Amino acid sequence: MSDDVTIQDSAGGVRVIGIDRPQKKNALTGVMYDAMLDALAGADASAEIGAVVFAGLPGMFSAGNDLADFVEGAREAFTEAPALRFIRQLARTKTPMVAAVDGIAVGIGTTLTLHCDLVYVSDKARFRMPFVELGLVPEAASSYLLPRRVGLLKATEFLLLSEPFDGATAVNLGLANALMPSDMLVEHAVAQAARLAALPRGAIEASRRLIRGNLAEVEAALEAEAEAFEARLRSPEAQAAFKSFFDRAPKPTA
């Protein structure tokens, strides 16, 4: 487990996965991905947990991958990376998932929500997917899921131009259910998750399969992205983008 990921289970059958790394704006490391994967797999195996909520901190859902940790881990094959293992579990999870997004949601902080059954956002939510800027390609099956949600042109705008969008836009485009005040966001998400957890499990699982459609197509897109992502990680463009990022990053002081 990771000190930067908290797991809280309620009597109502809701598991809250909290991303808690404020010093790095909730950027995700390999250890954090593994902790979240275990929490999802554990929910699927549990007779008590009927829904999962992803929550960040006030003003920060997640800044995406911790690039320093990610680049270090990328010395091994990306197909075995903690981030990809988590994404695979995310797509396959049978337990209903709810996201409560306040503040920044970058990269996986945005694409994670495409796999959630319900998404609630604050008026401070800011989404962005800068994969191409980093010399990479989309991940988490976002190249498949996003065009089906918002249309090809808007998806191209978000995935190629890395255009940011706010919580109200997410609601208007059907990427989120409702806009909430920040101080009510997590409470509301947990309440909605509890409603899901109280429903008959077999009916929920069967209905999710029908609503979501062909999981095999999602997984095929995910794996195609992973293969392209692996190739792009080694590219001069990505290496130059990472170097530029690290050169701009604030240097620690004594």
Side-chain angles (χ1 to χ4, degrees), residues 181-212:
S182 293
D183 59 354
M184 297 174 57
L185 179 65
V186 175
E187 180 182 357
H188 181 77
V190 170
Q192 294 298 90
R195 292 180 62 189
L196 292 171
L199 295 168
R201 299 289 172 85
I204 280 281
E205 185 174 335
S207 297
R208 287 181 83 242
R209 285 198 300 269
L210 291 169
I211 292 168
R212 288 167 169 261

Side-chain angles (χ1 to χ4, degrees), residues 11 17 20 25 27 38 40 45 56 75 79 83 85 90 100 106 115 123 142 168 178 183 199 224 226 236 240 244:
I17 301 176
D20 188 6
K25 298 183 179 180
D38 290 344
L40 289 179
R75 295 176 182 177
T79 50
R85 291 199 301 267
L90 191 65
V106 178
H115 296 271
D123 54 2
S142 56
D183 59 354
L199 295 168
S244 176

Side-chain angles (χ1 to χ4, degrees), residues 66-75 233 239 242 246:
D66 181 310
L67 277 186
D69 179 86
F70 187 73
V71 170
E72 178 68 23
R75 295 176 182 177
L233 272 174
Q239 296 302 311
F242 293 154
F246 293 130

Side-chain angles (χ1 to χ4, degrees), residues 6 11 25 49 53 56 68 70-72 94 123 126 145 147-148 158 165 167 169 173 177 216 236 242 249-250:
T6 62
K25 298 183 179 180
I49 302 302
V53 173
F70 187 73
V71 170
E72 178 68 23
K94 297 178 181 179
D123 54 2
R126 297 293 182 270
L145 294 170
R148 284 157 179 77
F158 294 148
F165 57 99
T169 301
L173 290 174
N177 294 86
F242 293 154

